[in-house]
């Protein structure tokens, strides 16, 4: 099986920065797209950043210019650099990835357990 482990969450003041990491482990042949989602209390889970296997990225307008997603294919890790954080960025952030465990397996979608990000003074 495959596990995704997020780290780097915490409490930060408005205008501050945090860097989240997602490490994939287990039976991994290849990782296709990886994304970060977030879910605030009482709200639906929403996409905040996505990166494909070729390095192409996309972001919603709410974080564009402030968040940057990157990946290290050799280490099976993906990071999310978050700058100019706002109170409305407060949420649990989840890593999501499409992973193939062998050449003969299809891609399966996995979720991490999430990491809390709180932006408050």
């Amino acid at each position: 099986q495959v596990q995704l482990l997020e780290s780097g969450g915490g409490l930060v003041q408005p205008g501050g920065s945090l860097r989240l990491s997602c490490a994939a482990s287990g039976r991994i042949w290849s990782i296709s797209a990886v994304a970060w989602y977030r879910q605030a209390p009482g709200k639906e889970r929403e996409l905040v950043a996505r990166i494909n296997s070729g390095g192409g990225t996309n972001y919603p307008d709410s974080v564009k210019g402030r968040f940057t997603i990157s990946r290290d294919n050799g280490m099976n890790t993906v990071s999310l650099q978050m700058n100019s954080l706002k109170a409305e960025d407060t949420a649990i952030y989840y890593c999501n990835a499409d992973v193939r465990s062998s050449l003969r397996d299809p891609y399966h979608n996995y979720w991490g357990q999430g990491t809390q990000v709180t932006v408050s003074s």
Side-chain angles (χ1 to χ4, degrees), residues 3 19 21 26 31 45 53 60 73 94-95 107 110-111 115:
Q3 298 80 40
R19 186 176 181 87
S21 293
I31 300 176
R45 193 171 294 190
S53 57
N73 291 328
Y94 298 91
C95 180
Y107 282 97
Y110 295 91
W111 288 92
T115 185

Side-chain angles (χ1 to χ4, degrees), residues 6-59:
E6 302 99 334
S7 61
L11 173 64
V12 63
Q13 292 186 343
S17 299
L18 277 177
R19 186 176 181 87
L20 305 183
S21 293
C22 173
S25 62
R27 292 186 61 218
I28 299 171
W29 176 264
S30 66
I31 300 176
S32 180
V34 183
W36 286 94
Y37 287 77
R38 67 186 180 189
Q39 187 166 21
K43 295 188 177 181
E44 293 187 355
R45 193 171 294 190
E46 63 173 354
L47 175 72
V48 294
R50 183 180 184 274
I51 186 166
N52 62 29
S53 57
T57 59
N58 64 283
Y59 307 89

Side-chain angles (χ1 to χ4, degrees), residues 104-119:
R104 291 175 291 182
D105 287 330
Y107 282 97
H108 293 282
N109 188 259
Y110 295 91
W111 288 92
Q113 291 297 307
T115 185
Q116 176 71 47
V117 172
T118 303
V119 184

Side-chain angles (χ1 to χ4, degrees), residues 5 7 9-11 17-18 31 33 39 41-42 58 61 64 66-67 76 80-81 98 103 112 117 119:
L5 181 63
S7 61
L11 173 64
S17 299
L18 277 177
I31 300 176
Q39 187 166 21
N58 64 283
D61 289 343
K64 197 172 293 183
R66 301 189 298 122
F67 290 11
N76 290 332
L80 182 68
Q81 178 66 42
D98 294 322
L103 186 59
V117 172
V119 184

Side-chain angles (χ1 to χ4, degrees), residues 87-103:
E88 50 263 43
D89 294 317
T90 295
I92 299 175
Y93 284 70
Y94 298 91
C95 180
N96 176 270
D98 294 322
V99 182
R100 200 177 192 182
S101 292
S102 77
L103 186 59

